[in-house]
Amino acid sequence: MSVTVVVLAVAVTGAIAFPLIRSAGVEQARNLLSQAADEFSALRPSSFALDRRQQRLLDRGDYSFTLIGPNGVVSGGTSTPLTTRQVNRVLAGDSVSTTVSTGGTRVLVEARPTRSGGAIVLSRGLDTVYAASGQTVARLALALGIGFALAILIGTSLARRIARPLVVAAAAARKLAAGERSVGLPESSVTEVAEVSKALATLDTALSTSEGRQREFLLSISHDIRSPLTALRGYGEALADGLVDQSELRHVGETLAAETERLNRFVTDLLELARLGADDFQLHPTRLDFAGLAGEVERAWTAQCAQNGIRLSTERPSHPVIARADPQRVRQILDNLLDNAVRATPAGSPIVIAVRESGPDAIVEVRDSGPGLSAGDRSVAFDRGALYERYRDVRAVGSGLGLSIAARLATRMGGMLLVDAAPEGGACFRLELPRGEADRGPTRPG
């Protein structure tokens, strides 16, 4: 690559410089010819000595000169490269500066009127000018050749110096792609290469952390899936062997149904997570009234809260609070939050669904009176299985996937799901979605 750049640079330099050198040579020759013509025309032709002085003035290169008398006759019987019209112009007192073709050769011509009424015509062939500038071109070509060779040597050396750590970084990247972790990368003095190495080291750490979490999560999920499967298998074998008394069939049936539902919840959550990461995951956003949705959710959950001795209430304005969102997915988020709130809230304590507006966002909160979450808990609340691992042996928990699913759904709808401390003493989960316009189109409550 460096050799290619050098070749292109030299080629472009030569393509620009060589014509400029020839053009400068022609311009310099014309200036000298014009200066000589001006000097000659200023002299007084009075004697043979003057002719010798004239000859000496013109002795500056491969010039040729012609004298034209006042009557238009060329002295010495030589010809002039000027046309009759141009000769007449010079005899009339005008200077002529031109380039003409004569005998297949292009010639520079400078003509000036003299004090005697005649004219002096100086000419020089362009082939002699090009020959003179050719020496300069040759020197430039030599300089470019030397520069080309040095540039290749230096460029190759630098390229190898830069490429060596890049090759090492590429090898490290292949190791990371193959599943190897904690891949060491040497430091480099080249800033760009050092940045690449730093990025790969960061990626290595992130992959190790992510895979560790996934491993722990899968181990915990496997344990919790195995528990209902063990119960199902045990009761199934007992039924098959006739070991279940007739009076216990109802209890066994209820246990089987509960364990089946628990297993189904795990599978459903896992599938939901997989769908959220897919490119073809679809949303159907519309104008959604958060205030109306809160009332709908309250009616749906009142019975279950009552069975657990929990007081469910709503705080909502009398006017619609419109958001642009998918009603089914918003309801899924709120049901998930309420399921966690019911599990965490002790009997006799409240759960509140609150709806409000804040700037460009429509907000719905689910606040409980449970043990709440610490600052450390809140920082990982939406990581898969993080809170589940912390509290599975302490208090009732779900599958460990619900909050992660809810947060991803909120993000896919252009909003966010946040967690903070609730004034009721527990946790406050706040769903924020962009507000919609309240005066256009039909509104869905949920």
Side-chain angles (χ1 to χ4, degrees):
M1 184 64 183
S2 58
V3 174
T4 303
V5 173
V6 171
V7 170
L8 288 176
V10 171
V12 171
T13 302
I16 296 174
F18 292 156
L20 289 178
I21 291 174
R22 294 187 66 180
S23 177
V26 171
E27 186 67 23
Q28 183 181 17
R30 182 178 294 281
N31 290 337
L32 291 175
L33 198 64
S34 176
Q35 181 181 359
D38 291 338
E39 291 178 358
F40 184 87
S41 64
L43 297 176
R44 296 179 181 274
S46 57
S47 66
F48 177 75
L50 179 62
D51 291 339
R52 295 186 63 183
R53 186 179 179 187
Q54 293 168 348
Q55 177 66 43
R56 188 167 59 254
L57 285 172
L58 294 174
D59 190 16
R60 299 180 181 177
D62 296 327
Y63 298 111
S64 63
F65 68 96
T66 305
L67 292 173
I68 302 177
N71 57 359
V73 177
V74 179
S75 65
T78 59
S79 62
T80 175
L82 296 179
T83 62
T84 302
R85 182 178 178 182
Q86 291 171 330
V87 170
N88 293 334
R89 279 184 55 196
V90 178
L91 293 177
D94 292 336
S95 297
V96 174
S97 178
T98 185
T99 302
V100 300
S101 296
T102 176
T105 303
R106 292 180 60 79
V107 178
L108 299 176
V109 179
E110 295 289 333
R112 301 290 187 274
T114 62
R115 291 188 177 187
S116 62
I120 175 68
V121 180
L122 306 183
S123 61
R124 185 181 182 185
L126 280 178
D127 52 351
T128 62
V129 176
Y130 291 153
S133 61
Q135 298 179 358
T136 304
V137 171
R139 293 190 184 98
L140 176 62
L142 177 61
L144 287 177
I146 295 174
F148 175 74
L150 290 176
I152 288 180
L153 291 176
I154 296 173
T156 302
S157 177
L158 288 176
R160 289 178 178 176
R161 181 186 174 190
I162 295 174
R164 190 177 298 111
L166 286 177
V167 171
V168 175
R174 286 191 290 270
K175 291 180 181 179
L176 290 175
E180 186 176 343
R181 298 294 176 259
S182 300
V183 178
L185 288 169
E187 296 183 359
S188 175
S189 58
V190 181
T191 303
E192 292 76 6
V193 176
E195 288 295 325
V196 172
S197 299
K198 183 178 179 180
L200 285 175
T202 303
L203 176 62
D204 190 356
T205 302
L207 287 174
S208 299
T209 302
S210 176
E211 290 175 354
R213 289 179 178 176
Q214 290 181 7
R215 191 178 301 107
E216 293 176 1
F217 171 73
L218 290 175
L219 287 174
S220 64
I221 288 296
S222 299
H223 175 270
D224 287 293
I225 289 179
R226 190 180 296 112
S227 296
L229 284 176
T230 301
L232 291 173
R233 180 177 179 179
Y235 279 112
E237 290 177 349
L239 287 171
D241 295 338
L243 300 178
V244 179
D245 189 80
Q246 186 71 24
S247 60
E248 297 179 354
L249 287 178
R250 180 181 178 85
H251 171 71
V252 170
E254 291 175 349
T255 302
L256 290 174
E259 293 301 317
T260 302
E261 177 59 27
R262 182 183 172 192
L263 185 60
N264 180 66
R265 189 183 305 116
F266 278 114
V267 174
T268 301
D269 286 348
L270 288 172
L271 290 176
E272 191 66 39
L273 274 177
R275 283 195 292 267
L276 276 169
D279 293 334
D280 59 352
F281 180 80
Q282 293 185 351
L283 293 170
H284 303 284
T286 185
R287 297 175 68 255
L288 176 62
D289 179 13
F290 270 13
L293 178 63
E296 179 182 304
V297 173
E298 181 184 18
R299 290 189 295 271
W301 282 85
T302 295
Q304 183 171 347
C305 288
Q307 290 178 359
N308 290 272
I310 298 171
R311 302 189 309 273
L312 179 63
S313 62
T314 60
E315 297 175 358
R316 47 181 172 154
S318 58
H319 62 272
V321 177
I322 305 300
R324 182 74 178 174
D326 186 325
Q328 180 180 350
R329 296 302 182 179
V330 174
R331 179 61 189 271
Q332 180 181 351
I333 293 173
L334 295 181
D335 286 344
N336 193 304
L337 297 178
L338 280 163
D339 183 61
N340 289 340
V342 169
R343 189 181 299 110
T345 302
S349 300
I351 293 177
V352 179
I353 304 172
V355 175
R356 58 188 174 87
E357 299 170 331
S358 178
D361 296 324
I363 297 175
V364 57
E365 296 176 340
V366 175
R367 308 197 301 257
D368 63 59
S369 306
L373 299 174
S374 66
D377 292 338
R378 292 195 291 269
S379 66
V380 296
F382 304 112
D383 293 345
R384 288 181 299 179
L387 295 182
Y388 176 84
E389 284 300 315
R390 291 187 181 188
Y391 296 108
R392 56 184 299 179
D393 298 325
V394 178
R395 62 194 188 209
V397 293
S399 66
L401 303 176
L403 289 178
S404 177
I405 293 173
R408 292 192 184 189
L409 284 172
T411 302
R412 292 296 291 264
M413 288 187 289
M416 63 178 65
L417 184 62
L418 305 172
V419 60
D420 207 339
E424 290 78 12
C428 171
F429 287 90
R430 182 170 65 255
L431 174 63
E432 298 182 357
L433 290 174
R435 292 173 58 185
E437 298 182 19
D439 58 350
R440 294 184 181 179
T443 301
R444 297 186 59 180

